[in-house]
Amino acid sequence: MAEATSQSNRQHWLLSLPAVVMFLGLLVVPLALTAILSFNAFDSTRGPLDEYTLSNYIEVFTDSYYYDLFARTALMSLGVTAICILVGVPETIILSRMRPAWQGAFFVIILGPLLISVVVRTLGWSILLGREGFINTTLLSIGLSDAPLQLMFSMAGVVIVLTHVMLPFMVISVWSTLQKLDPQIAYAARSLGAGPLTAFRRIVLPQLLPGILSGAIIVFTLSASAFATPALIGGRRVKVVTTAVYDEFLSSLNWPLGATVAVLLLIGIVLVVVGSNRIIERKFKQVFA
Amino acid sequence: MTKLSIRGLSKTYAGNVQAVRKVDLEVESGEFLSLLGSSGCGKTTTLQMVAGFVSPSAGSVLVDGEDITYAAPEKRDMGIVFQSYALFPHMSVSQNVGFGLEMRKVKRPELEQRVSEALSMVRLTGLGNRYPSELSGGQRQRVAIARVLAIRPRVLLLDEPMSNLDAKLRGEMHVELRALQRRLGITTILVTHDQVEAMTMSDRIAVMANGVIAELGTPQQIYDHPTSEFAFKFLGHANVVEGEVVSADNGQTAVQVGAAIVPARTETVQIGHKTKLFVRPERLRLCSTEQGSIQGKVVTKLFLGGIWFYEIDSTVGKLRLTVTNAGTAQPQEGQAVGITWNDGDMQYVSSEAAHG
Amino acid sequence: MSNRSMGKNGPVSLIFHTLFTAFIVAPLIVIILVSFSDKGYISMPFGGASLRWYQAMLDAPELMGAIWLSIWLGLGAALLATAVSVPAAIAIARYRFIGRDAFTALLLSPLMMPHVVLGVAFLRFFSLMGWTGSFLALLLVHALIVVPYSLRLTLGAIIGLERDAELAARSLGASRWISFRRILLPLILPGVAGGFVLAFIQSFDEVTMTVFVATPGTTTLPVALYHRVALLTDPVTTSVSTVMIVGTMVLMFILDRVVGLDKVLIGKK
Ligand SMILES: Nc1ncnc2c1ncn2[C@@H]1O[C@H](COP(=O)(O)OP(=O)(O)O)[C@@H](O)[C@H]1O
Ligand SMILES: [Mg+2]
């Protein structure tokens, strides 16, 4: 129980003080500064000015370049999310049916890459996806295609690699829900006359839905925030929000505009998370209270 | 020789939960007192205020007249045994038992001697090098007891210490712990929801309900002559019969129940008024219909080994009673029977709680 | 735990599973293979294997510098994050106070925040504070973004623990501090240590935020690798990557020993 002991009324303040100081000083302040920066005017010769203006936001909201940018990012993330659901859910179910020893081994193989730097994983893919990469040479040599596929610097390549990066999150999320399932429920359905497919579709899948949805939220937001993969695989041809922010900051040096795009990305992601959590709660609260 | 006084002790948790309300208790030196009550009635909170883990909203705790209400737990010299035993899993049995002595800066040879003394008190000699995970539930509990006995606490506090033991072991521990407490003469408070436990071990029992003490007395007093309807019903089964006051004289009233006139001390002294009387199942006797003060029919008859259990549909309502299994023939289900009892066994108790 | 209620895996499932696993490990296998090639370009080592790209890595001072910088950065950040998270976790798990949920959410918020946004924010912050290029500043913000990892594992360890043992120690005469040091800390040590290792890994791997604030003097290994890969894929990137993969595997093994990988990866209590 969390009831305090006799003299503990101030104890928790002492314990949380270092963290509060750290997070206020190093997170809240920098974020606030970024928000302010997004309202700074910018002059291409003189850099950021001390005047405040809405012009950065107006530019982002009126320029179709930014509209395309955000739309492309959202579509890319949606695509990755859809593939992760289609591939990750069946795989998790297959994993759940394995014997514990195999299960443990494959968990390490499937989830382990999470701990390996995303740059490394992306590098591996860029070797695989290049015009003379192993995928194209294989496809050509077995005659499945007659010209090399353009995978590097294409949206398809970015989606493939992001899927690879995000799949473990979907597996984790579905797995956690699967663990809470009472295996006897499926037995009950079977004994009531449902075939294995019906039992799965009518009984198991609905119960997995919250896990799938929360996995989808994670995958979507992480895809929209991903930087190294779209930067290295997509390059200049497949610009997304994060790489655009990077360019504004480190190439064009238009910091206020970059800050504006970054702030909008953060707001967008917060809205997606809060919004979908609302929906999940409303839909599943009664059932999975 | 330690006397513990609890005066007006109250605890209101955040969210206005009045867990304990103005509890007064005097625990005499060497006395074994139980706080008995159902889950959530405030027993643990009371005990933790005594131990110093919860700070009271009002009231005070005194040990031998010294106010320790706000003393830090480590300054109180009290030994507490938790329901979970709360053994330190990363320390051996000896290290567990020696921890309190170590905190008191007791030096090596004496420390070891007192540890083995405590272990032998709970009959665990030789298990000092084991770790808690290598012990059975009963042994763990003994370690928890040895751990507090080693510091020779002024007061021993037990929070449902037996509830994780199986029934047989629990019964043995009741007897053993009681004997140990007697021998050492430690002032003890036991918190329990188990009536049998409270009855077998205690000098006195305080029945708690809704954060107040509803009944206080020796086990026999509170069982045989509780002062409230609540206590009568809480401690064992209560048969409730309705009677009518037929005479009232000098505080002594007579109540007619069936064919019987029952002497009782009721609050209603007006002749003709209805009143409720209470009687324990084991105080009712079966007899022939003619001899009975009440007549009825056996609805249920159950064999419970040492006793027979009966449910009778009687002229004054449903009654439960028990008959010792002495090997003699007993009435069957459906048979008409009479019921009788001794004067004084059927009693009036106030429907008001004694306190609160 | 095996959950066989949905039947057994048929041949289709096994084929699917094999393809899935191949998809997951393919890029890593390719990197490891290429790193042993003896050619001057990206190629498989079957035509001829060598360790020349490992030698090339050792001979590249900027890579070796980045490796050491990342190691020290990771250790420092993990240490600081642990020092902050342990008391915070105790406050969250052991006390009820107003703002406790908000406090917890704040400490976990870096998990949800796009690292690009953090990179932008720190870049701006550092340039205003004159901290650009400071190792210490980089260490502070790395510590900040890995706090959630160390907090989660520490919290998991404390929440699973009955408070009774600490109370018993207090009642036996231990002060608050002694009961923390002798009872609580030893019992949560696996969680704390696991949190430390995980925090180190996360700091060591971080690229998106760091790429914004790194200067030539504070280039971490992933950032150095990123810049190299962005320019051209030369085989030395694969030997560096192989070292990172093997290093991570060693740390995973340690994590598994200390807390269990399932706790780290799945977050089981
Ligand atoms: N830390 C706490 N915060 C709020 N309410 C509490 C706390 N501890 C106990 N309570 C409440 O106080 C009442 C008494 O609890 P407790 O003393 O544990 O009862 P018992 O030990 O008799 O089962 C219960 O209603 C319980 O819910
Ligand atoms: Mg209790």
Side-chain angles (χ1 to χ4, degrees):
Chain A
M1 292 306 282
E3 161 63 12
T5 61
S6 8
Q7 319 84 351
S8 66
N9 306 318
R10 277 156 289 116
Q11 199 83 16
H12 63 265
W13 281 117
L14 234 59
L15 291 167
S16 32
L17 193 66
V20 170
V21 170
M22 183 185 207
F23 275 70
L24 287 183
L26 294 174
L27 185 65
V28 176
V29 169
L31 285 177
L33 289 174
T34 309
I36 294 171
L37 179 63
S38 71
F39 291 105
N40 271 65
F42 178 78
D43 182 281
S44 48
T45 50
R46 289 185 296 157
L49 307 176
D50 270 341
E51 300 151 28
Y52 294 97
T53 164
L54 279 174
S55 65
N56 299 313
Y57 286 92
I58 292 169
E59 181 173 351
V60 172
F61 279 113
T62 51
D63 192 338
S64 73
Y65 170 79
Y66 291 102
Y67 174 81
D68 289 345
L69 189 67
F70 275 93
R72 191 178 310 120
T73 307
L75 273 178
M76 173 194 78
S77 308
L78 269 181
V80 172
T81 309
I83 301 175
C84 280
I85 293 175
L86 289 177
V87 177
V89 175
E91 174 61 18
T92 314
I93 291 168
I94 292 172
L95 275 173
S96 76
R97 293 163 163 178
M98 287 185 179
R99 256 179 286 143
W102 285 112
Q103 226 169 51
F106 280 111
F107 261 119
V108 173
I109 292 171
I110 293 170
L111 304 186
L114 274 183
L115 299 181
I116 294 171
S117 177
V118 71
V119 183
V120 172
R121 286 179 274 166
T122 303
L123 167 65
W125 277 107
S126 74
I127 295 174
L128 285 168
L129 296 178
R131 281 184 85 81
E132 275 121 57
F134 297 106
I135 291 187
N136 269 326
T137 37
T138 313
L139 287 180
L140 288 175
S141 68
I142 57 175
L144 266 179
S145 71
D146 32 283
L149 296 175
Q150 180 62 46
L151 291 170
M152 279 303 281
F153 311 116
S154 75
M155 184 52 107
V158 175
V159 170
I160 290 175
V161 182
L162 271 182
T163 302
H164 178 260
V165 174
M166 300 303 162
L167 265 174
F169 293 104
M170 181 59 77
V171 171
I172 290 173
S173 184
V174 177
W175 177 260
S176 320
T177 322
L178 204 57
Q179 285 313 92
K180 288 183 222 137
L181 264 180
D182 178 359
Q184 306 210 334
I185 290 184
Y187 290 143
R190 296 294 298 277
S191 75
L192 289 171
L197 267 180
T198 314
F200 178 77
R201 197 171 50 79
R202 294 279 310 277
I203 308 300
V204 178
L205 200 56
Q207 297 190 77
L208 286 186
L209 224 45
I212 297 173
L213 283 179
S214 66
I217 297 169
I218 294 171
V219 169
F220 182 88
T221 55
L222 287 181
S223 301
S225 330
F227 167 74
T229 302
L232 293 176
I233 302 287
R236 272 179 223 302
R237 285 210 219 140
V238 188
K239 262 288 184 62
V240 290
V241 174
T242 52
T243 51
V245 171
Y246 182 79
D247 287 347
E248 289 303 343
F249 264 83
L250 297 164
S251 307
S252 330
L253 298 178
N254 187 345
W255 286 21
L257 190 60
T260 307
V261 178
V263 165
L264 289 174
L265 174 66
L266 181 60
I267 292 174
I269 282 178
V270 169
L271 286 181
V272 167
V273 171
V274 172
S276 26
N277 276 338
R278 279 268 167 78
I279 293 172
I280 292 186
E281 262 172 33
R282 200 176 319 140
K283 274 202 107 141
F284 297 106
K285 204 163 184 179
Q286 316 90 300
V287 192
F288 298 101
Chain B
M1 291 287 110
T2 308
K3 185 174 172 340
L4 180 74
S5 311
I6 296 171
R7 304 215 174 124
L9 205 58
S10 303
K11 178 67 191 180
T12 308
Y13 283 115
N16 250 359
V17 183
Q18 294 198 320
V20 176
R21 292 185 269 178
K22 292 208 176 121
V23 163
D24 288 301
L25 267 179
E26 296 289 325
V27 190
E28 300 303 327
S29 185
E31 187 183 25
F32 194 121
L33 182 129
S34 290
L35 289 178
L36 173 65
S38 47
S39 168
C41 71
K43 308 177 298 284
T44 296
T45 304
T46 307
L47 202 73
Q48 299 219 328
M49 287 193 283
V50 173
F53 300 134
V54 171
S55 66
S57 312
S60 53
V61 180
L62 291 85
V63 173
D64 285 335
E66 177 201 349
D67 190 329
I68 57 151
T69 315
Y70 297 103
E74 66 266 31
K75 301 279 193 288
R76 295 190 179 207
D77 247 341
M78 295 192 177
I80 180 160
V81 176
F82 293 89
Q83 181 173 0
S84 64
Y85 311 146
L87 298 184
F88 309 137
H90 57 305
M91 296 186 191
S92 70
V93 168
S94 294
Q95 286 169 331
N96 266 279
V97 177
F99 186 85
L101 298 171
E102 203 187 311
M103 294 298 118
R104 283 163 178 73
K105 311 248 180 325
V106 175
K107 292 284 169 302
R108 258 298 121 201
E110 193 198 342
L111 185 142
E112 274 163 16
Q113 195 237 320
R114 281 176 67 177
V115 167
S116 66
E117 201 178 281
L119 285 178
S120 81
M121 268 189 246
V122 296
R123 298 192 287 116
L124 281 182
T125 307
L127 294 185
N129 290 328
R130 296 246 190 119
Y131 279 83
S133 60
E134 301 167 328
L135 301 176
S136 72
Q139 289 171 326
R140 282 180 208 176
Q141 195 218 25
R142 286 159 189 272
V143 175
I145 293 170
R147 188 171 67 180
V148 298
L149 291 183
I151 63 168
R152 298 180 187 151
R154 293 194 288 180
V155 178
L156 180 59
L157 305 173
L158 308 165
D159 192 350
E160 314 235 8
M162 321 276 184
S163 55
N164 287 332
L165 301 181
D166 62 57
K168 187 148 177 289
L169 197 55
R170 200 182 309 154
E172 289 167 15
M173 273 316 284
H174 289 162
V175 178
E176 198 176 322
L177 189 55
R178 174 62 169 150
L180 195 59
Q181 187 269 342
R182 278 276 159 78
R183 188 150 58 78
L184 300 173
I186 302 183
T187 310
T188 302
I189 302 182
L190 167 77
V191 157
T192 182
H193 64 267
D194 179 345
Q195 284 183 44
V196 177
E197 186 165 296
M199 299 254 177
T200 45
M201 298 178 77
S202 317
D203 295 313
R204 280 191 304 156
I205 294 175
V207 178
M208 275 191 87
N210 289 323
V212 300
I213 292 182
E215 193 80 30
L216 177 67
T218 66
Q220 201 179 352
Q221 269 170 3
I222 64 163
Y223 184 81
D224 284 347
H225 301 288
T227 58
S228 68
E229 181 177 337
F230 166 79
F232 204 113
K233 287 181 169 166
F234 183 75
L235 302 156
H237 183 76
N239 285 306
V240 186
V241 298
E242 192 141 284
E244 192 182 309
V245 177
V246 288
S247 77
D249 175 34
N250 230 353
Q252 190 66 45
T253 44
V255 181
Q256 174 149 23
V257 177
I261 303 294
V262 181
R265 288 187 165 272
T266 65
E267 281 160 6
T268 320
V269 289
Q270 249 171 311
I271 293 170
H273 270 219
K274 300 268 188 231
T275 187
K276 280 193 283 186
L277 295 181
F278 294 78
V279 59
R280 298 273 182 217
E282 65 274 14
R283 299 296 174 90
L284 293 175
R285 291 193 306 273
L286 289 177
C287 56
S288 64
T289 38
E290 310 81 65
Q291 285 174 315
S293 309
I294 302 173
Q295 281 71 40
K297 201 174 82 175
V298 176
V299 184
T300 313
K301 178 190 184 191
L302 299 174
F303 179 61
L304 300 181
I307 55 172
W308 292 98
F309 171 89
Y310 279 92
E311 207 168 53
I312 313 282
D313 207 354
S314 82
T315 46
V316 294
K318 232 176 209 136
L319 294 175
R320 291 178 178 183
L321 59 88
T322 55
V323 179
T324 309
N325 173 18
T328 52
Q330 296 296 336
Q332 298 302 317
E333 283 182 7
Q335 196 174 324
V337 291
I339 296 171
T340 176
W341 59 90
N342 292 345
D343 277 357
D345 285 345
M346 192 172 279
Q347 51 189 310
Y348 172 84
V349 289
S350 167
S351 59
E352 301 285 312
H355 310 256
Chain C
M1 249 169 312
S2 180
N3 182 350
R4 325 271 305 253
S5 64
M6 283 167 297
K8 291 171 78 140
N9 287 318
V12 179
S13 299
L14 289 179
I15 292 170
F16 182 90
H17 174 69
T18 310
L19 291 175
F20 185 97
T21 310
F23 176 72
I24 293 290
V25 297
L28 303 176
I29 304 271
V30 163
I31 285 177
I32 295 172
L33 286 176
V34 169
S35 75
F36 290 106
S37 161
D38 63 352
K39 308 280 185 314
Y41 49 91
I42 297 282
S43 63
M44 282 294 179
F46 307 129
S50 80
L51 291 176
R52 66 181 278 201
W53 295 112
Y54 289 88
Q55 189 60 49
M57 174 184 85
L58 294 175
D59 292 341
E62 80 280 7
L63 284 178
M64 293 313 289
I67 290 180
W68 284 112
L69 184 107
S70 279
I71 289 176
W72 289 118
L73 181 67
L75 287 176
L79 199 64
L80 184 57
T82 309
V84 167
S85 323
V86 170
I90 294 175
I92 291 167
R94 290 288 190 246
Y95 297 89
R96 283 185 198 168
F97 52 95
I98 299 161
R100 182 169 136 237
D101 290 344
F103 177 61
T104 315
L106 178 68
L107 264 55
L108 294 176
S109 66
L111 284 182
M112 201 184 97
M113 244 168 242
H115 280 203
V116 166
V117 175
L118 294 175
V120 165
F122 296 146
L123 178 59
R124 173 68 172 158
F125 185 55
F126 286 6
S127 76
L128 286 179
M129 302 287 289
W131 288 0
T132 312
S134 151
F135 176 77
L136 194 66
L138 189 60
L139 193 151
L140 285 176
V141 296
H142 264 243
L144 176 98
I145 60 166
V146 300
V147 158
Y149 298 97
S150 111
L151 182 76
R152 267 208 317 214
L153 287 196
T154 308
L155 211 48
I158 300 182
I159 285 175
L161 213 63
E162 287 256 16
R163 191 161 169 254
D164 290 357
E166 289 157 76
L167 297 186
R170 294 294 306 281
S171 175
L172 289 168
S175 66
R176 241 172 231 294
W177 167 246
I178 293 195
S179 117
F180 167 73
R181 201 168 51 80
R182 295 282 308 276
I183 310 298
L184 183 62
L185 191 59
L187 293 179
I188 63 171
L189 203 56
V192 175
F196 178 89
V197 176
L198 188 60
F200 172 84
I201 294 176
Q202 296 297 340
S203 160
F204 193 91
D205 285 351
E206 211 296 324
V207 61
T208 308
M209 181 275 279
T210 316
V211 89
F212 279 84
V213 292
T215 58
T218 54
T219 298
T220 63
L221 185 57
V223 171
L225 197 61
Y226 171 82
H227 285 310
R228 247 174 201 263
V229 175
L231 278 180
L232 83 166
T233 318
D234 76 71
V236 78
T237 56
T238 62
S239 56
V240 174
S241 295
T242 305
V243 169
M244 289 174 79
I245 293 170
V246 172
T248 307
M249 274 159 54
V250 170
L251 290 180
M252 272 167 65
F253 181 76
I254 295 175
L255 269 180
D256 192 38
R257 277 293 118 102
V258 178
V259 263
L261 263 187
D262 49 347
K263 271 206 193 105
V264 178
L265 295 172
I266 307 187
K268 242 189 330 201
K269 288 274 156 63

